[in-house]
Structures are given as structure tokens and as C-alpha cells.
Amino acid sequence: MDSNSILFRSGKIDFCTDWPSADEYYNLFLTTRWNDEYCLSKEEIEKSIRNRWFSISAYSGEELIGTGSILSDGIQHALIVNMIVHPDFRNQGIGTAILRLLVNKCKECNIRDIQLFAAQDKHNFYRKFGFVARADNAPGMQYRYR
Ligand SMILES: CC(C)(COP(=O)(O)OP(=O)(O)OC[C@H]1O[C@@H](n2cnc3c(N)ncnc32)[C@H](O)[C@@H]1OP(=O)(O)O)[C@@H](O)C(=O)NCCC(=O)NCCS
């Protein structure tokens, strides 16, 4: 898929696989408040965009209003990250459409393990799609150094 369009409540949204520019992504990223913790500069954001394995960018006209990306080895593991829809465009199915395109890409590549970290209030969103929580005796682990 290079690009396709879907009609939502807020109008036509174009989905493509091009990397967004650092500026447009940065503006969307700021809406999540995640950068209060990550403290990423625009240069770091730009580098992180280029290192992604696959990305979906969603546009309303010229405006980037949604993204989702995959970090992957292309065979065994895929980690879905940075699912963001602009607050003005939420709750009409755009996030689900992005997630579907990301999961379809993994399926096309026959990737065995599709994972993600679900924020506390997003479990339902992912569960509705078909994701299941890892077992309590084998949850993910994280190394924190700052
Ligand atoms: C998570 C996120 C990407 C979802 O994007 P979204 O476009 O709102 O997603 P959808 O519209 O597909 O689904 C969101 C909700 O709207 C509901 N919905 C979908 N289409 C709908 C419609 N046409 N009418 C009414 N509700 C609808 C879904 O059922 C879902 O409900 P739920 O949250 O109770 O499960 C968005 O909330 C976001 O950017 N959040 C901030 C960043 C974040 O937390 N990212 C995820 C980190 S794990």
C-alpha cells in the first residue's frame, strides 16, 4: 500500500506509508504529553522516525493527524509503537484503521510475534481488535536507567 483514503465522520483521511516530516510528527507527538518524560529533541525525533521498520501516516488534507509504527527484525518480532491520533480526530475509527494496516503488514511478512505496550486506559481499544494480555506469570519486563 502506498496510499489509500477512507471516509470518516470528520471527512476523508488519507493513509500512506511515507515517513512524516520531523516537524509535523513533533507537533502530533506533543499532543500525547509523552515528551514530558522522554524529553526528545526534534533531531532525535527525526532519527527515530528514520529507524522505524514500517510506518503509517494519516492525513486530513495536508495535516498529519495520526501515526503508528512498527519496530521489527522483519521475521520473528514486531513491536507496534507510537500509535497517536490527534485529539480532534479520535473516537471515529482512525486509530483502529492505522492498527489494522500495521497488523496487516506483519501478517504479509509472516511475522511470528506481534506485540505492543498498552497504556493503562487503552487495554479495551487493543482487546477489541484482538490483542490479548500476556500471562501474569510472563509479563514483559523493562530496564530503566534514568
Ligand atoms: C489510542 C488512540 C491512538 C486511539 O485512536 P482513535 O482514533 O481514537 O481510535 P478509534 O477511534 O479507532 O477507537 C477509539 C474508541 O472509539 C470507538 N469508536 C471507533 N469508531 C467509532 C465511531 N464511529 N463512533 C464512536 N466510537 C467509535 C472505539 O470503539 C474505541 O473505544 P474504546 O476506547 O472504548 O475501546 C488515541 O486515543 C490516542 O492517540 N491516544 C493518545 C496516545 C496513546 O495513548 N496512544 C496509545 C499508547 S498505548
Side-chain angles (χ1 to χ4, degrees):
M1 181 203 82
D2 290 319
S3 105
N4 74 13
S5 305
I6 303 177
L7 196 57
F8 292 94
R9 202 172 56 224
S10 59
K12 182 171 76 81
I13 302 296
D14 301 313
F15 296 85
C16 70
T17 54
D18 300 339
W19 308 137
S21 76
D23 276 337
E24 56 188 1
Y25 181 78
Y26 193 69
N27 290 335
L28 185 61
F29 188 63
L30 288 185
T31 66
T32 64
R33 308 293 308 267
W34 292 340
N35 217 24
D36 296 354
E37 186 185 344
Y38 288 117
C39 303
L40 297 175
S41 67
K42 222 178 263 188
E43 289 68 32
E44 288 175 310
I45 293 260
E46 189 158 29
K47 202 168 170 185
S48 81
I49 292 171
R50 275 189 270 113
N51 284 334
R52 289 170 193 175
W53 183 70
F54 182 78
S55 265
I56 293 293
S57 302
Y59 288 88
S60 168
E62 299 289 301
E63 187 192 357
L64 180 74
I65 58 91
T67 62
S69 300
I70 304 174
L71 311 178
S72 181
D73 59 14
I75 304 272
Q76 191 181 356
H77 297 289
L79 182 68
I80 291 177
V81 295
N82 292 314
M83 283 285 308
I84 307 173
V85 171
H86 189 285
D88 295 347
F89 290 82
R90 286 181 194 162
N91 300 318
Q92 46 179 313
I94 298 172
T96 301
I98 293 173
L99 189 57
R100 181 164 297 114
L101 291 168
L102 297 176
V103 168
N104 283 349
K105 174 70 180 179
C106 294
K107 287 179 177 170
E108 272 167 30
C109 297
N110 199 16
I111 290 182
R112 310 305 198 272
D113 221 356
I114 307 173
Q115 298 190 336
L116 51 78
F117 300 109
Q120 222 162 19
D121 59 337
K122 297 296 178 239
H123 286 219
N124 264 343
F125 169 73
Y126 293 115
R127 211 178 275 130
K128 273 184 202 162
F129 192 91
F131 280 83
V132 291
R134 286 177 59 91
D136 285 348
N137 63 356
M141 296 184 81
Q142 185 166 5
Y143 182 79
R144 286 199 186 275
Y145 67 100
R146 53 182 183 176

